[in-house]
Amino acid sequence: MTEFGPDSLAIDEAAEVERISARIRSYLAASRRKGIVVAVSGGIDSSVVAALSVRALGADRVFALHLPEQESSDETISYSTELTDWLGVESVAENITPILTAAGCYRRRDDAIRSVIPDFGPGWKSKIVLPSVVDSDAFRLFSVVAESPVGEQVAERLTAAAYLEIVAASNFKQRTRKMLEYYHADRLNFAVAGTPNRLEYDQGFFVKLGDGAADIKPIAHLYKTQVYALAAYLGVPESIRSRQPTTDTYSMPQSQEEFYFSLPYSLMDLCLFGLNHGIDAEAIAQAAGLHADQLERVFRDIEQKRRSTAYLHEPPVLIAPVEELLRLDLS
């Protein structure tokens, strides 16, 4: 048996690109849509989805959106513009700050932060973080980290109410972006492509009716490592491929690791792939550089996230099925 490790996630990039491209084309044909709308953040996932869409359809049938807001990284628009210039697709930039301000996104979130950090106010920055899953078996609770205008940082554990309010307010960002994606899709008669990879899709790292909403999700079956492999195969600019994955949701720099996954994506890939394929726990632990008790905590965390976010994958509940619609087939 081949030793378990990073090579276990290797794929045939050429075959995978053709498989995804064919599925995109068949979906558009069945749904009578003319092309694809994709929001590009300058990150690896949206870049690969945009590149796959161009490979499948041609640049003239792909429309890209740059959707920054006042707390986006300064690098976001430069990376996403580099991508659309490279792809040769039409794109539009729409700053969503006015919409978020009108909806109370920043005000509601800041009020929640002030419930635990009273001095928080204009000019301050913030993010929320989780303790590492591998460092301790203690119950994991979110904290807010805030930075004053003079650079002083303070961290406080969040109450359940404050955490929920911060997340609910921050979710305006993903839902506003999706609203604009569907506006452009409707006017062009295009479909909206979602950009979650398998880690995000499996672990519920998305906002329902926000970045979780889409007509087609071309890379939701691919582990992050495999997304990077496709990026290299497709020729996605090196600057994007070497960029550190971020949430780009909070005003302070924040990795996906400290916000949600608690492990670098390369190790999460190994743990999730090993768990999904019934690989011996000792082999997974060795490949990931974890002790047995640490791996057990990772496995528990994976299963807990699956249970707590299962509702995100569910369609609306009907009291009785509408049988006529069940017979429609858009495959």
Side-chain angles (χ1 to χ4, degrees):
M1 180 179 176
T2 304
E3 183 177 354
F4 178 72
D7 289 345
S8 302
L9 283 89
I11 57 174
D12 182 335
E13 291 91 350
E16 191 61 36
V17 167
E18 182 50 42
R19 179 165 78 119
I20 295 170
S21 298
R23 188 68 183 91
I24 291 173
R25 290 190 293 267
S26 68
Y27 173 75
L28 292 186
S31 62
R32 294 183 173 85
R33 303 295 181 88
K34 294 180 178 179
I36 288 289
V37 169
V38 58
V40 289
S41 65
I44 195 68
D45 297 316
S46 64
S47 297
V48 167
V49 169
L52 285 167
S53 299
V54 169
R55 179 66 67 96
L57 305 170
D60 60 330
R61 296 175 63 191
V62 177
F63 184 82
L65 281 171
H66 314 269
L67 298 168
E69 47 96 13
Q70 67 181 28
E71 294 178 336
S72 297
S73 166
D74 293 337
E75 299 176 331
T76 295
I77 196 71
S78 62
Y79 281 118
S80 63
T81 301
E82 179 183 5
L83 175 79
T84 53
D85 287 347
W86 169 68
L87 289 172
V89 299
E90 182 181 0
S91 68
V92 168
E94 298 206 36
N95 192 306
I96 64 172
T97 300
I99 301 173
L100 296 176
T101 300
C105 168
Y106 308 114
R107 172 182 55 81
R108 298 171 199 268
R109 181 205 58 202
D110 292 354
D111 286 347
I113 294 174
R114 271 191 291 275
S115 71
V116 294
I117 303 178
D119 290 337
F120 190 86
W124 284 64
K125 298 180 179 180
S126 66
K127 62 181 177 180
I128 61 175
V129 299
L130 266 176
S132 171
V133 71
V134 299
D135 290 345
S136 171
D137 203 20
F139 191 66
R140 301 167 68 227
L141 297 171
F142 275 98
S143 296
V144 60
V145 178
E147 184 177 277
S148 75
V150 296
E152 296 177 347
Q153 288 193 7
V154 58
E156 292 289 344
R157 181 169 292 178
L158 287 168
T159 64
Y163 164 73
L164 290 173
E165 177 70 21
I166 290 170
V167 171
S170 299
N171 286 351
F172 276 119
K173 298 184 180 185
Q174 286 81 4
R175 291 185 173 123
T176 298
R177 290 188 173 106
K178 196 59 62 172
M179 175 179 71
L180 289 169
E181 289 174 51
Y182 271 100
Y183 161 74
H184 287 284
D186 288 348
R187 74 176 182 82
L188 294 168
N189 193 28
F190 279 18
V192 171
T195 63
N197 59 63
R198 190 175 191 132
L199 288 183
E200 295 167 344
Y201 191 71
D202 181 299
Q203 294 290 279
F205 187 50
F206 58 85
V207 175
K208 191 164 190 174
L209 302 182
D211 53 337
D215 299 309
I216 185 169
K217 299 182 179 182
I219 60 171
H221 63 294
L222 294 175
Y223 294 86
K224 189 89 170 183
T225 304
Q226 297 167 340
V227 175
Y228 275 100
L230 284 195
Y233 176 82
L234 292 164
V236 170
E238 170 61 27
S239 58
I240 294 173
R241 287 188 279 133
S242 60
R243 186 186 183 195
Q244 178 70 24
T246 70
T247 63
D248 206 24
T249 296
Y250 294 90
S251 52
M252 290 181 69
Q254 180 190 54
S255 69
Q256 294 179 345
E257 176 184 347
E258 66 180 343
F259 175 64
Y260 199 75
F261 292 117
S262 299
L263 283 175
Y265 77 84
S266 56
L267 299 187
M268 273 300 300
D269 269 0
L270 285 171
C271 294
L272 187 61
F273 183 93
L275 179 63
N276 289 345
H277 290 82
I279 305 298
D280 181 74
E282 184 176 349
I284 300 172
Q286 183 175 352
L290 300 173
H291 298 300
D293 59 332
Q294 292 176 319
L295 181 64
E296 180 58 32
R297 289 199 290 271
V298 172
F299 282 173
R300 288 203 304 268
D301 192 56
I302 288 172
E303 295 296 349
Q304 187 275 329
K305 284 188 171 76
R306 283 175 172 168
R307 289 192 299 271
S308 64
T309 63
Y311 77 98
L312 297 175
H313 296 276
E314 293 295 323
V317 174
L318 303 181
I319 303 306
V322 180
E323 299 291 348
E324 294 79 6
L325 296 180
L326 296 176
R327 294 193 288 270
L328 292 178
D329 183 8
L330 291 181
S331 60

